Amino acid sequence: MKAAVIVFPGSNCDRDVAVALERVAGTKPLMLWHRETEVPSDLDLIVVPGGFSYGDYLRSGAMAAHSPVMAGVKAAADKGVRVLGICNGFQILTESHLLPGALMRNRDLKFICKDVHLTVESADSDFTRGYADGQVVRYPVAHHDGNFFADDETLAAIEDAGQVAFRYCQPDGTVDADANINGSRNNIAGLFNRDRTVLGLMPHPERLIDQHLGGTDGVPMFKSLLEALS
Amino acid sequence: MSEITPEVVAQHGLTDDEYKLVLDIMGREPNLTELGIFSVMWSEHCSYKSSKKWLKTLPTEAPWVICGPGENAGIVDIGEGLAAVFKMESHNHPSFIEPYQGAATGVGGILRDVFTMGARPVANLNALRFGSPDNAKTRHLVAGVVAGIGGYGNCVGVPTIGGETNFHASYNGNILVNAMTVGIAPADKIFYSAAAGIGNPVVYAGSKTGRDGIHGATMASAEFDEKSEEKRPTVQVGDPFTEKLLIEACLELMATDAIVAIQDMGAAGLTSSSFEMASKGGLGVELELDRVPMREEGMTPYELMLSESQERMLMVLKPGKEELAQAIFHKWELDFAVIGHLTETGRMVLKWHGETVGDLPIDPLAQASPEYDRPHEIKRETRGVRANETPEVPWKEALTQLVGCPDLASRRWIWEQYDHMVMGDTVVRPGGDAGVVRIHGTNRGLAATTDCTPRYVQADPVEGGKQAVAEAWRNLTAVGARPLAITDNMNFGNPEKPEIMGQFVGACQGMAEACKALDFPVVSGNVSLYNETAGQPIMPTPAIGAVGLIDDLDRMATVPFKASDEIIVVLGETLGERGSGWIANSLYLRELLGREEGAPPPVDLAHERKVGDFVRGLIGAGSVTACHDVSDGGLMIALAEMAMASGIGFDITCDPGPRHAYLFGEDQGRYIVTVKENDVPAVTGAAEKAGVPVRVLGYTNGDAIVVNGEAGPTVSELRAINERWLPELMSAEVVEPGGVPAE
């Protein structure tokens, strides 16, 4: 698997996800600076990491979506290169229209950092094959703008196409209002594109990859990718 | 007519005597820019004029100390070629005026102190004190400070792994916001601030200079009054995005050999940084102020020298390295300018479009600032409170009331607003005795904590100072870390009052004793005086930030109980007065009986060390399954915290006698550990052999809490009470002082 991690000014989970990729794949990913106008043609996976790209001083992810490197990422995604956007990366993917919808300020207006439970809505993707359909996983979140919004029509299309990857849930898997930490529509925490070659999610799988950090629920995602793309 | 009238001198916070010294040093009347420079350099904040006599008495050395006080941050050796770099600093006055920006820039400033020395910041902590929960301003301040700390730290991408928060009416008009950063650097590649090399270029990097924060250091050196709100323009505005870029750019440049010396521009901005670099190097400096990157037009030399705009660095480069450095800073889209060079004159010469606008001697100004031996009176409460003469509140009631009281209620509402996991190395998250981060790429860890019990310091500054250091040492020990060193953040009232100065002197005395006995030197620190509003001082608050090392992350301990039917053991002596438990000045006395009185529990430093070393040994040997130190609220609260963190209850037995004192007394130097039943004889045997008082209290048990066979609240009920208080406080309807709900 040849992977690259995009680095924007203000990215701050770029190292974390590179560590996770290296741990699972055994090789360091390429770190791609935001000014690159082209991305290498032999990539299997591009990760758009978490952080505060360009300070998120406009809408979160809005400026990064217009950075030079994102044109290359979009072109690669069109060719079927897998793209994973985590947290700020998810925001950038929606701002880039690689994924539908938008991420608004959390319902309670505060930054939230804690572990949350998620249902894996579909294990039928290169990102989630290591999990089972309906499995409950625990990932940390750390965001201010994770409240997923799409209008009724878009939301229906997302659901009909089976694009929901993860939903916020109770520890026992119940998807309800109490488990919805940030006000996301339909408890959506992560989303595929129609071809399931692009995944964006607010929680951070790269933060739970060894027991010292409190768990390993994030590992299967990186293993799934490694197995699918090697 | 002279522009320097007595009024102008007074506005700059200089006394008549100090101004006479200015005239002596200059040999002439200063111009306004020069006067402004004297004013900030000699402010309490920058000069430590009231405190330095006493700070010098604190122990600062140990074999593992690489750099003690006097640089941007303290540095200790952590083995394997690495060093931990850390410091704590206050941003009290600005945070009261503008809580979000005040707290945010406090975090930014302390981060810069650490990465200036070549360290990558790996953890942030804080120590916060707010006024009474029912004070009209408290919630506004809590919300703003927490959002500001989070807003800055989260964006920069450094995890906030711990801290402490107290509420007390004495902070109604002066909150305390103390921020601490811990970084890791290669031990052989540390950067200092002493300038060297006549002719070497002096360069400026980072944000542009604006008009914000002019005279911030002077403001932080005076008492507040009703007009303090008008000082809002002296509060700086933070830009964490630029700080993140500055960290990356500086660390990238530091990996080359281009830098001779580096200093961040913090309090008193360009003035303080350039003076310190030149003074430490014994050199002079010539600055061309018109070359400083400016945010707005029409700025004057006076404003440029005194601005406290954030996210700026001053460096001395090796000759010929300007282009290399410029390329790195431009890559990170930061301003970069060569603004001067070093000279051999020992003077600071300021040029403005070729014209000299300031010319001052450096050494007398930087080093010969006033030093005062202010009159002081140390008041020490010695009266105890007898346990058998205080009413016994039924333990169940006392327990539920205490876990929900302002000083013990869960701080989750606060730390869930801080990203405490970014960087992927957080091993112990907030809420434990100490936060722990893994040293990246290893199986070792750094533990860090902040501690102080202001009510103890108020009652007896010497014992209170001792206790603050001992508790920090204990919290590091409780996770299994070897305590290395501390940073102190001395928050006090007006030092011109003998009683306040006595609190300061007494606290230093107690801290020095504890540091010496525990081999726990002070390597950095900060003093914040004049924390008074309308004559009302804060409780004396010498906040201690401490760092320890864990050699093997597989051999550490955490607070939660791990399983039912494990044996609960208390290590350390419960002496109290007459063997019953120390109830004087306890939270029990304050929260349940409304009495803030009596001497604080004394710290027997030899006992402290013996018990702590023994506990650390047990943890290192893998003999305990959980560990928690006993502090506020005594044994019962420590047990309840272990239960609430795990969902597992406990069943204990205590002797006849004043049970409330035994359960809630705050005798120092104690730890609770859990041990597997089979290991009990070995643990108690080893304790007895080591001369460590040991006692089996009971066992962990389902989700019930049982004392002497009597069942109390369940763990989940207790947890609900503990978690409820702060969110309820923060979401309650805003009631204005008149009692009418605000719109």
Side-chain angles (χ1 to χ4, degrees):
Chain A
M1 174 175 71
K2 190 141 191 238
V5 176
I6 309 293
V7 184
F8 298 102
S11 292
N12 63 29
C13 301
D14 45 335
R15 188 186 80 173
D16 305 0
V17 78
V19 166
L21 286 166
E22 188 185 353
R23 221 179 141 90
V24 171
T27 51
K28 283 185 199 298
L30 181 71
M31 304 306 276
L32 263 187
W33 185 236
H34 70 124
R35 285 186 187 278
E36 299 290 336
T37 48
E38 278 177 35
V39 305
S41 57
D42 58 344
L43 290 178
D44 301 306
L45 171 70
I46 299 171
V47 180
V48 188
F52 289 73
S53 52
Y54 304 92
D56 280 344
Y57 285 149
L58 192 52
R59 283 187 318 278
S60 293
M63 297 213 281
H66 294 283
S67 68
V69 76
M70 281 310 291
V73 173
K74 276 192 261 191
D78 287 344
K79 280 189 260 162
V81 173
R82 304 300 185 262
V83 178
L84 170 62
I86 303 170
C87 199
N88 192 223
F90 186 15
Q91 295 159 344
I92 293 166
L93 295 184
T94 59
E95 289 286 345
S96 307
H97 303 292
L98 281 168
L99 291 172
L103 292 144
M104 308 193 304
R105 183 119 300 194
N106 295 341
R107 179 191 49 216
D108 296 338
L109 307 180
K110 291 198 295 283
F111 190 94
I112 306 171
C113 178
K114 64 177 181 180
D115 285 356
V116 296
H117 290 90
L118 308 167
T119 55
V120 179
E121 292 289 306
S122 171
D124 184 17
S125 81
D126 290 345
F127 303 94
T128 53
R129 201 151 289 131
Y131 303 102
D133 279 344
Q135 183 179 338
V136 176
V137 296
R138 179 171 56 93
Y139 289 174
V141 292
H143 61 246
H144 213 158
D145 296 321
N147 179 356
F148 180 78
F149 179 81
D151 59 40
D152 292 341
E153 199 183 325
T154 309
L155 192 64
I158 288 169
E159 294 284 0
D160 288 347
Q163 284 178 249
V164 178
F166 297 95
R167 290 185 215 270
Y168 301 107
C169 70
Q170 303 284 357
D172 68 359
T174 311
V175 175
D176 61 12
D178 286 345
N180 192 349
I181 54 162
N182 52 24
S184 292
R185 291 205 79 179
N186 292 8
N187 282 43
I188 290 172
L191 204 60
F192 298 118
N193 65 348
R194 281 179 171 269
D195 298 333
R196 299 196 181 174
T197 54
V198 176
L199 169 67
L201 75 170
M202 288 313 298
H204 289 267
E206 81 279 17
R207 290 190 181 186
L208 276 187
I209 54 160
D210 72 63
Q211 280 306 344
H212 280 142
L213 305 182
T216 56
D217 278 7
V219 173
M221 178 175 290
F222 299 101
K223 281 206 169 143
S224 303
L225 286 164
L226 178 69
E227 277 160 28
L229 302 175
S230 297
Chain B
M1 200 183 126
S2 161
E3 58 177 352
I4 310 298
T5 61
E7 288 75 35
V8 170
V9 171
Q11 278 163 7
H12 281 77
L14 292 169
T15 65
D16 290 349
D17 286 344
E18 285 168 355
Y19 186 61
K20 275 185 200 129
L21 196 54
V22 171
L23 293 175
D24 275 356
I25 287 171
M26 293 297 289
R28 62 174 164 81
E29 184 173 274
N31 64 33
L32 193 60
T33 302
E34 292 163 341
L35 183 73
I37 289 169
F38 273 97
S39 152
V40 292
M41 289 299 290
W42 287 1
S43 68
E44 188 66 59
H45 191 81
C46 292
S47 73
Y48 295 93
K49 59 190 169 193
S50 300
S51 59
K52 61 185 163 192
K53 173 179 162 73
W54 302 102
L55 295 176
K56 285 180 201 156
T57 64
L58 296 168
T60 58
E61 286 172 5
W64 53 89
V65 173
I66 294 175
C67 174
E71 277 289 336
N72 285 298
I75 307 180
V76 292
D77 192 336
I78 55 170
E80 297 185 6
L82 297 175
V85 180
F86 64 98
K87 188 182 179 187
M88 179 151 58
E89 198 163 77
S90 62
H91 232 211
N92 303 336
H93 294 78
S95 299
F96 184 75
I97 296 174
E98 210 301 287
Y100 185 98
Q101 292 298 345
T105 52
V107 175
I110 197 64
L111 281 164
R112 279 192 298 285
D113 278 338
V114 166
F115 72 77
T116 299
M117 303 204 72
R120 178 172 285 281
V122 296
N124 282 332
L125 295 96
N126 50 72
L128 310 178
R129 264 89 195 176
F130 297 104
S132 167
D134 50 22
N135 181 274
K137 282 202 87 163
T138 296
R139 285 185 300 168
H140 158 71
L141 293 168
V142 172
V145 165
V146 171
I149 290 173
Y152 208 98
N154 299 347
C155 179
V156 165
V158 176
T160 301
I161 62 162
E164 58 169 353
T165 307
N166 287 147
F167 295 87
H168 191 274
S170 77
Y171 305 105
N172 280 353
N174 274 87
I175 60 169
L176 302 183
V177 175
N178 299 169
M180 171 173 172
T181 294
V182 185
I184 295 178
D188 61 353
K189 206 145 195 262
I190 286 163
F191 291 83
Y192 294 99
S193 57
I198 292 157
N200 277 351
V202 175
V203 306
Y204 171 115
S207 283
K208 291 178 165 58
T209 297
R211 289 194 166 104
D212 48 338
I214 291 172
H215 279 305
T218 318
M219 171 184 81
S221 307
E223 271 189 50
F224 268 12
D225 55 32
E226 317 75 55
K227 289 189 182 154
S228 295
E229 292 280 346
E230 293 170 12
K231 292 183 175 171
R232 198 179 301 251
T234 58
V235 178
Q236 314 86 334
V237 175
D239 176 0
F241 171 58
T242 298
E243 180 100 336
K244 168 70 175 164
L245 304 183
L246 196 56
I247 293 177
E248 300 304 333
C250 286
L251 292 178
E252 195 172 323
L253 181 60
M254 284 163 169
T256 72
D257 64 346
I259 299 176
V260 175
I262 178 164
Q263 172 78 37
D264 75 301
M265 290 186 233
L270 187 53
T271 295
S272 175
S273 54
S274 54
F275 263 96
E276 263 173 55
M277 289 175 88
S279 171
K280 282 184 181 154
L283 294 174
V285 61
E286 184 173 312
L287 298 179
E288 294 169 70
L289 293 175
D290 46 287
R291 292 203 191 177
V292 171
M294 286 170 243
R295 205 185 294 154
E296 49 196 310
E297 285 180 13
M299 289 190 67
T300 64
Y302 179 91
E303 289 169 330
L304 288 166
M305 288 306 287
L306 299 186
S307 164
E308 291 189 3
S309 288
Q310 301 288 292
E311 294 94 21
R312 300 180 301 159
M313 286 284 179
L314 197 65
M315 290 176 279
V316 175
L317 297 182
K318 289 185 185 163
K321 297 288 184 183
E322 296 93 326
E323 268 178 46
L324 168 82
Q326 177 164 325
I328 291 173
F329 281 91
H330 282 177
K331 171 188 156 193
W332 291 99
E333 302 182 15
L334 294 163
D335 272 291
F336 178 94
V338 178
I339 62 163
H341 61 274
L342 298 177
T343 66
E344 57 193 335
T345 61
R347 298 184 75 83
M348 166 170 285
V349 177
L350 305 174
K351 300 266 190 183
W352 183 247
H353 297 289
E355 192 188 321
T356 300
V357 292
D359 184 351
L360 314 93
I362 285 169
D363 272 355
L365 216 160
Q367 289 171 355
S369 62
E371 175 176 333
Y372 296 131
D373 180 4
R374 297 197 186 276
H376 61 271
E377 183 189 345
I378 305 178
K379 285 194 180 163
R380 304 184 62 173
E381 177 63 83
T382 53
R383 281 168 298 179
V385 173
R386 289 210 184 126
N388 54 14
E389 288 168 13
T390 51
E392 177 171 349
V393 177
W395 70 267
K396 288 184 258 188
E397 200 182 305
L399 172 62
T400 47
Q401 210 167 318
L402 280 173
V403 297
C405 82
D407 275 353
L408 291 177
S410 167
R411 270 52 177 140
R412 183 183 302 276
W413 185 92
I414 295 175
W415 52 256
E416 281 188 350
Q417 295 187 57
Y418 304 149
D419 189 336
H420 47 266
M421 294 182 245
V422 64
M423 297 187 90
D425 282 313
T426 303
V427 175
V428 177
R429 300 179 187 181
D433 282 325
V436 177
V437 288
R438 179 168 54 192
I439 298 170
H440 194 66
T442 73
N443 198 41
R444 303 190 305 138
L446 282 184
T449 178
T450 59
D451 292 288
C452 179
T453 314
R455 68 178 185 279
Y456 293 171
V457 191
Q458 170 94 359
D460 181 342
V462 180
E463 279 302 329
K466 228 197 261 181
Q467 194 273 345
V469 173
E471 186 173 347
W473 190 83
R474 211 178 292 147
N475 277 326
L476 296 177
T477 297
V479 296
R482 184 155 44 86
L484 295 173
I486 65 171
T487 176
D488 57 358
N489 202 147
M490 310 291 283
N491 307 278
F492 290 81
N494 181 349
E496 293 159 37
K497 298 178 184 169
E499 192 183 326
I500 302 288
M501 197 61 211
Q503 292 174 341
F504 185 87
V505 173
C508 284
Q509 201 179 307
M511 286 164 55
E513 278 176 47
C515 290
K516 220 167 284 166
L518 301 172
D519 273 331
F520 202 31
V522 179
V523 294
S524 58
N526 167 244
V527 178
S528 171
L529 302 174
Y530 297 95
N531 288 290
E532 299 199 7
T533 294
Q536 286 299 311
I538 59 161
M539 284 204 282
T541 312
I544 304 298
V547 171
L549 181 66
I550 299 174
D551 289 320
D552 179 357
L553 288 174
D554 296 312
R555 289 292 169 91
M556 55 173 294
T558 56
V559 168
F561 290 139
K562 300 301 180 300
S564 268
D565 300 316
E566 294 193 336
I567 306 305
I568 300 170
V569 175
V570 58
L571 294 156
E573 198 134 39
T574 307
L575 256 186
E577 292 171 284
R578 309 185 176 189
S580 57
W582 191 278
I583 204 77
N585 220 304
S586 63
L587 279 186
Y588 177 92
L589 204 62
R590 187 179 89 189
E591 295 296 324
L592 294 156
L593 305 176
R595 292 163 57 183
E596 293 186 53
E597 63 181 67
V603 180
D604 174 342
L605 290 165
H607 174 262
E608 183 76 51
R609 179 156 191 164
K610 184 169 64 178
V611 178
D613 288 348
F614 179 75
V615 168
R616 200 175 313 108
L618 285 184
I619 295 169
S623 309
V624 304
T625 52
C627 181
H628 189 20
D629 79 309
V630 179
S631 57
D632 274 354
L635 280 179
M636 195 64 186
I637 291 300
L639 287 164
E641 286 169 347
M642 298 175 88
M644 290 187 291
S646 62
I648 300 170
F650 56 89
D651 188 328
I652 60 165
T653 311
C654 58
D655 289 339
R659 192 164 56 179
H660 59 298
Y662 185 73
L663 293 177
F664 299 102
E666 296 179 1
D667 303 67
Q668 298 293 297
R670 296 182 298 168
Y671 301 79
I672 291 173
V673 298
T674 51
V675 178
K676 293 204 170 93
E677 196 163 2
N678 293 340
D679 295 336
V680 173
V683 168
T684 52
E688 277 155 20
K689 208 166 149 196
V692 171
V694 56
R695 174 173 171 159
V696 173
L697 271 183
Y699 56 94
T700 56
N701 173 37
D703 83 332
I705 293 173
V706 180
V707 176
N708 290 353
E710 186 189 352
T714 64
V715 177
S716 34
E717 284 164 3
L718 209 57
R719 198 190 253 167
I721 296 165
N722 181 246
E723 293 292 349
R724 193 187 301 144
W725 183 78
L726 190 50
E728 274 186 4
L729 175 75
M730 296 309 293
S731 63
E733 201 173 6
V734 177
V735 177
E736 292 299 317
V740 183
E743 286 183 20

